[in-house]
Amino acid sequence: KPSAEAAQISSIIQKYILGRPDISFRFISGGKDVYFSSGDGSLKNAIHSVYGKDIYLKLIPVSFADGSIKIEGYIGEPETARATKTMQNLFVNSRYIRSDIISNSVKQGYLNRIMPAKHPVYALNLLMPYDEIDVNVHPNKLEVRFKEEGFIQECFFKAVKQAFDNFEKLSTSNYTLNSQ
């Protein structure tokens, strides 16, 4: 059906927009703009064009590095958690992948901030050396194998925990300043 095809195309375009915020994308379906991204290089703006203002206003920045591993992007505040994983977007060197181990590590990083049946919203990019990852695991290259899987899991857990720590410190200091 055309509606099913449009939904699949929509999902692919979302991943392109979030994976390459430096490129402008426009998706028109049924004569209407479904997605339009500016291509200004801002992941936060790309998230806004895909998920809208409500999610955009509830984003927490993630910036983490450990050796040759770097994790950049955004996680949603706990109240943005969803019943499905459809708003979980993970990229390795700007290429979309799926990874249950990373999804679980991100969720663990929320440290009981969300209900067990809920799934966090995120768009995260893992930057790492190409020789540390095997992309030939899945026919569509959607799943990968990491040479040091445990280390990668630990990095994502720490990245999310650190993002929350920074966010809560900032929220507390803003509250203190506004209360005085």
Side-chain angles (χ1 to χ4, degrees):
K1 286 184 167 181
S3 61
E5 285 187 19
Q8 286 184 336
I9 293 168
S10 177
S11 178
I12 291 168
I13 295 297
Q14 285 179 3
K15 287 158 184 41
Y16 284 153
I17 291 171
L18 297 173
R20 292 299 308 266
D22 58 320
I23 298 174
S24 178
F25 292 92
R26 173 171 266 146
F27 175 50
I28 302 169
S29 180
K32 295 181 181 178
D33 270 358
V34 178
Y35 298 116
F36 174 69
S37 66
S38 66
D40 65 359
S42 165
L43 176 58
K44 192 170 186 180
N45 290 340
I47 293 169
H48 184 268
S49 68
V50 171
Y51 294 130
K53 183 180 177 182
D54 290 342
I55 297 294
Y56 173 83
L57 294 174
K58 301 272 184 193
L59 295 174
I60 300 171
V62 175
S63 183
F64 177 85
D66 190 336
S68 62
I69 301 298
K70 188 173 184 182
I71 301 168
E72 297 284 334
Y74 292 90
I75 56 174
E77 290 182 23
E79 61 267 24
T80 66
R82 300 291 194 251
T84 68
K85 294 181 179 183
T86 57
M87 289 184 155
Q88 293 187 350
N89 293 279
L90 175 64
F91 303 87
V92 175
N93 299 327
S94 297
R95 189 171 90 205
Y96 176 77
I97 68 157
R98 290 188 307 231
S99 172
D100 287 337
I101 65 157
I102 291 176
S103 177
N104 292 335
S105 293
V106 170
K107 189 171 182 174
Q108 288 173 358
Y110 272 70
L111 298 171
N112 300 319
R113 289 179 176 94
I114 60 175
M115 299 297 290
K118 296 285 187 173
H119 302 281
V121 170
Y122 61 80
L124 297 170
N125 188 21
L126 168 62
L127 301 165
M128 64 183 303
Y130 288 98
D131 62 347
E132 296 291 318
I133 186 169
D134 181 4
V135 296
N136 295 313
V137 176
H138 188 274
N140 294 336
K141 311 282 193 232
L142 291 176
E143 296 175 17
V144 297
R145 185 175 298 120
F146 300 102
K147 282 188 178 176
E148 295 188 42
E149 191 172 278
F151 176 65
I152 298 298
Q153 286 177 287
E154 183 182 326
C155 286
F156 273 90
F157 173 80
K158 287 179 179 178
V160 172
K161 184 180 178 313
Q162 176 185 327
F164 272 114
D165 290 347
N166 293 340
F167 175 73
E168 289 165 356
K169 283 179 193 171
L170 183 63
S171 296
T172 302
S173 65
N174 284 342
Y175 176 76
T176 304
L177 289 173
N178 291 335
S179 297
Q180 296 176 354

